[in-house]
Amino acid sequence: MARLSSRFPGVLADALRVGLPVSCAGCGRWDTPLCADCAALLAAPPHRVEHVDAAGGVTVWALSAYTGPMRPLVLGWKNGAREDLEPVMAAAGERAGDWLAAHLLPEAVTAAAASGCLLVVPAPSGLGRRLRGRLVAADFADAVARGLAAGWPDAVPAEASGPSGPGPVTVASADVLRRRARAGGAHQAGRSAAQRRTNRAVPPRLVAPVRGMAVVLVDDVVTTGATLGACARALTGAGAVLGGALVVAAAPPPARSQPVVVPGGGVNLTPTEMV
């Protein structure tokens, strides 16, 4: 059965649906892959996430909160148990990208207009996910890039446009970050907030130049913001201009009794030289 499922995943899934009723990926309601109530959780405009201290000053937006039905929905999408969610998540990413075009930080809009390039960069996946082809953050980044491209012309302020309107800008999804060997364990699940921050304190490495380009970071779930902060330091340290970060879901704010210490320091939102 394992060999059959790996060689013919679509055929096996269709066969199983004949004998097993489909259920909502969020709430478990029968006879629908995603009910209207759970789908609505992905349909609202992104909201600003205020409690991600370890992001080091990165502006973070989320489509929904990582709680209730969103938790099993996102987990099913991430681990491949619910491949039928891929079109749903793609559509959500495109809507969010279109919205984000009008909410990028002004310096990123100016940099994109000047350089002619706006990159949507997913947080790096571990080696295991790469080998399995489960690059959900990269797939989501593809969808966000399509939405940004659609919404871009209306997002450019007059001062960043030429005499005949906004100049041409290439909006591309670029999987250019890789985790370093000493960057901690692959998974954040099960770790405390302090352990999550430490586990992602080391910035990933870049595999392509980004100097002068505008960049938007994308990830599936944000908890403390440590992963986004490390990615942002790597990108801005290489000369990119960060326009913000977008995630599918944000974990509820943790209860704390002490101030948060950000590993690696804050994020310099203006380009700097590599060290």
Side-chain angles (χ1 to χ4, degrees), residues 50-80:
E50 302 287 356
H51 60 271
V52 284
D53 306 86
V58 177
T59 300
V60 181
W61 295 281
L63 274 63
S64 187
Y66 191 54
T67 186
M70 274 301 295
R71 186 177 175 86
L73 190 158
V74 171
L75 286 175
W77 168 61
K78 286 179 60 173
N79 63 27

Side-chain angles (χ1 to χ4, degrees), residues 144-167:
V144 173
R146 291 192 294 270
L148 272 168
W152 172 257
D154 297 330
V156 185
E159 58 270 22
S161 303
S164 59

